[in-house]
Structure formats: structure tokens, C-alpha cells
Amino acid sequence: MTLDLRRLGHFVAVAEAGSFTAAATTLHITQQALSQSVQLLEKELGAELFTRSGRRITPTAAGAQLLIEGRVLLAAADTVANRVSRTAEDSPEVFVVGHTPALSSAEVYTRLEPAIDSFTHLSVTCRQMYPGELLREILDGTVHLGLRRGIAPTAELSSATIGYDRVRVAVPREHRLADATVIDIRELAGEQIALWAPPGASYYSDFLMGACRRAGFEPDFVVSRVQGSATVAAPLTTGAPAFVTTQAGPAMGGRVRVIELEPDLLVGVQALWQRHTRSAFRDSVLAAR
């Protein structure tokens, strides 16, 4: 079976618009031509893709599955076409790595360093972005590899766990726990915990809140009003303890102390990339885990 990418694009446009009329306007083709294209795709696949009720259409179960897979396939095809064009034009390749604020630029570089040393001809750009933006830009091919804290499955992207980091606690120098050598997580009961995104909006925040609940208390939290800075800086703007992966000791010019946490808590680093694509540099990053 050969899947026609043009017809697949027509189907995705109709499914996203919820209307043949609206999709035809967006695609700059007639509604009749669009309807015929989708009908031919249904014939190719041997599956009804839409349930039609008057002017209203909704994807069938098969259509919903095709919408998920079709977006991925179209994005991959676009990525392949762009890479071939750059190769034909002898344009220098730039590999873009996106990462969430929970990973510092130094931590990202450490994960990438073995691959960077192996691919000396390749330019690498690292960009910090919020989780939702990261997923969108991986899917559309703008970002070639994404890194985030927390391990969670995703239907549209490929993923792998590439390592774990030890979680510690950062507190302002004047905090009651600042002189401790080790902090039991239960000592944080009653404290506000500094986060970079509210629970439900970040897998990392959910992971940290879950660790507190397993320790026997319901955590209070405050979201840092300064976004994009080093995570260890959060205690300065919130006055609250923050979970960090920074090494223990003084930080931020001595205004923050990072203290070991017990019991041991490890958080994973998840790599995400566009399905149906290949990259030797990415394979090297994954192999280094």
C-alpha cells in the first residue's frame, strides 16, 4: 500500500478544520476536489475516515488514528525534504537542541558533549523553551532533539531516558534549614516549594509534588515570577526552598545554599525526537547514556 502524502495532507486539513469548506479555503482548492481527494484516500486505506451528519463531520476511530499518525508522517516528510535540499545546496547543517527550563544550559552541554566531540563539523544550537513549545517545535522539525525533566510517554514523538540526576534542595542563606548538611524531605512539610510551572502543566512539577506526597505531606507551592533563569536562583525571588540538580554547596554568590536531600531522589532526563527520521548526531547522544 502506498500512502499519498498530498491526500494525507488534505485529510489532516479537513480533520483540523472540522469542515470541508473551511479546509478547502485554507488549501486554496475547490471543495469538490478536496472531497474527491479524501474519498480516494479512504479507498486506498479501505477505511471510512469521517462520520458525516449534514455539514458536520467528525473523524471515525480509524480517522482519529490516522490524524495522529498522519501529522507525524507529514512532519517527517517535510524534515526529510528540507534536509535533502540543504544537502543539494551544500548548506551547513545546524542541529537544534531544545530543553525545558528545568535543565540548565550546563547540564544540557554535559549530555551532548560526547556527541559534540565526535561530530566536529556540525554546528549545534541549544535553545531553552517551555514544554508545550518544545513539543510543537520537535513535531514540526524546527527542533531536532528535545530534553526535559520527568519521564512521560508521548504518542506523537519517539523518546528515550538518557540519564538520571540527583535532586537536592536549594534554600536562601537566611532560611532556617540553611546550615543543615542533609535535609529530610519531610522537613519541608509546611514550606512553600518554588516551582517553574504549576502542577499539571509540567511533568517535572508533577514529579516533585508526587515525591512530597509519598513522604506523607501535601505540598504548598509558589511559581517563580522569574522564568528562564537558573533553577537555583528561584529561592532568591520566592524566598522558598526549591528542588534542584545543582551540586551541593554555596550558589549564587553565597546567597543560596544547595543541600543534600534524603531519602535519595533521582529525576530522569527524557530525550524526544521526531519519529520516522534519522540522525547520526542524535544516535550518538542516545548512545552516550
Side-chain angles (χ1 to χ4, degrees):
M1 181 185 297
T2 301
L3 189 61
D4 187 301
L5 292 181
R6 182 179 61 85
R7 292 171 187 159
L8 178 60
H10 290 168
F11 160 77
V12 170
V14 174
E16 290 180 340
S19 160
F20 277 90
T21 302
T25 300
T26 301
L27 295 169
H28 305 291
I29 62 175
T30 66
Q31 185 173 337
Q32 181 181 6
L34 180 58
S35 179
Q36 289 176 345
S37 178
V38 172
Q39 287 173 6
L40 286 171
L41 181 61
E42 290 178 318
K43 184 177 180 180
E44 284 180 355
L45 297 175
E48 185 177 6
L49 301 175
F50 290 111
T51 299
R52 298 165 175 82
S53 177
R55 293 185 177 181
R56 297 188 61 183
I57 59 168
T58 55
T60 61
Q65 182 65 37
L66 182 61
L67 181 59
I68 294 173
E69 299 290 344
R71 285 171 173 154
V72 174
L73 189 56
L74 290 170
D78 187 54
T79 297
V80 170
N82 288 334
R83 291 181 66 182
V84 170
S85 294
R86 286 198 304 270
T87 301
E89 296 169 0
D90 200 24
S91 299
E93 183 180 0
V94 178
F95 192 91
V96 180
V97 179
H99 63 95
T100 59
L103 280 154
S104 71
S105 56
E107 289 172 323
V108 170
Y109 183 84
T110 298
R111 298 289 178 188
L112 301 177
E113 188 171 14
I116 289 173
D117 289 344
S118 298
F119 291 80
T120 56
H121 67 286
L122 184 66
S123 295
V124 180
T125 298
C126 297
R127 294 171 48 199
Q128 186 187 94
M129 55 189 66
Y130 296 117
E133 180 188 7
L134 178 65
L135 296 180
R136 287 193 300 272
E137 296 208 14
I138 297 170
L139 186 59
D140 70 18
T142 306
V143 169
H144 305 122
L145 180 68
L147 301 176
R148 69 179 181 186
R149 292 283 185 202
I151 309 302
T154 172
E156 296 182 314
L157 300 171
S158 293
S159 66
T161 302
I162 62 171
Y164 290 86
D165 292 313
R166 186 175 300 279
V167 177
R168 300 177 178 88
V169 181
V171 297
R173 188 65 190 84
E174 63 276 10
H175 192 273
R176 65 181 180 86
L177 296 172
D179 292 324
T181 55
V182 178
I183 294 176
D184 188 299
I185 192 172
R186 291 171 293 186
E187 295 182 80
L188 298 177
E191 296 271 359
Q192 278 194 321
I193 306 297
L195 299 176
W196 294 268
S202 162
Y203 291 118
Y204 187 37
S205 294
D206 293 343
F207 170 83
L208 297 174
M209 296 296 96
C212 293
R213 294 185 183 107
R214 289 192 297 274
F217 66 95
E218 182 61 32
D220 190 11
F221 68 89
V222 58
V223 176
S224 175
R225 64 185 176 83
V226 180
Q227 297 289 313
S229 63
T231 55
V232 76
L236 297 178
T237 55
T238 63
F243 291 110
V244 300
T245 52
T246 309
Q247 291 297 315
M252 304 303 295
R255 292 178 295 160
V256 172
R257 284 208 67 224
V258 179
I259 305 166
E260 297 290 353
L261 179 70
E262 63 177 24
D264 290 346
L265 182 62
L266 299 177
V267 61
V269 178
Q270 186 177 35
L272 302 162
W273 64 94
Q274 194 181 60
R275 290 165 55 189
H276 310 305
T277 59
R278 295 290 181 267
S279 164
F281 181 84
R282 184 182 70 214
D283 289 345
S284 181
V285 173
L286 299 178
R289 59 183 167 164

